[in-house]
Amino acid sequence: MTPFSVMAAGEDDYLSALHQEVDKVDGGVDKPRGAGGEAADSRLSRESFESELKEKYAGSAVFYGKLTPGSQEEIYQEYQSGASISELRKKIMDRFLHR
């Protein structure tokens, strides 16, 4: 089993290096990427985003559901813009606590 975990770590480094080279070729434009390395334009629809939030981050989904429709839209738009899930979860709590 060890050779596979070492190999997988090496592949991650390799993929990371490839993404860096692509960014150089694209003129240094840093395109937001998801956990799997996909470009931000492959982000989920709002309904899918909300479903995934419920499945993977139940607590955050509860607070998200208590936000005003305007705040929910703002969170989703930030997601569409490439914000990380940790940034989004913090923003959900900030909005819920009126910070």
Side-chain angles (χ1 to χ4, degrees), residues 20-66:
Q20 290 174 359
E21 290 300 315
V22 168
D23 289 342
K24 287 179 189 175
V25 172
D26 286 344
V29 176
D30 188 22
K31 296 176 184 164
R33 299 195 179 275
E38 73 277 4
D41 58 1
S42 65
R43 294 274 173 148
L44 302 172
S45 68
R46 183 163 175 179
E47 295 77 24
S48 297
F49 164 72
E50 291 173 352
S51 291
E52 191 164 312
L53 190 64
K54 286 178 190 174
E55 290 173 19
K56 295 183 179 179
Y57 306 98
S60 295
V62 168
F63 293 117
Y64 174 84
K66 294 181 182 213

Side-chain angles (χ1 to χ4, degrees), residues 87-98:
E87 293 171 325
L88 296 173
R89 293 175 72 200
K90 181 182 182 324
K91 184 158 213 128
I92 289 168
M93 287 309 299
D94 287 347
R95 291 290 180 265
F96 179 74
L97 298 172
H98 304 291

Side-chain angles (χ1 to χ4, degrees), residues 1-41:
M1 293 262 171
T2 303
F4 293 112
S5 63
V6 172
M7 191 169 97
E11 287 178 10
D12 287 341
D13 292 341
Y14 177 72
L15 290 175
S16 178
L18 284 176
H19 287 302
Q20 290 174 359
E21 290 300 315
V22 168
D23 289 342
K24 287 179 189 175
V25 172
D26 286 344
V29 176
D30 188 22
K31 296 176 184 164
R33 299 195 179 275
E38 73 277 4
D41 58 1

Side-chain angles (χ1 to χ4, degrees), residues 70-90:
S71 289
Q72 289 179 355
E73 179 64 23
E74 181 183 346
I75 300 291
Y76 178 69
Q77 290 303 319
E78 289 202 21
Y79 164 78
Q80 285 292 95
S81 298
S84 70
I85 191 66
S86 61
E87 293 171 325
L88 296 173
R89 293 175 72 200
K90 181 182 182 324

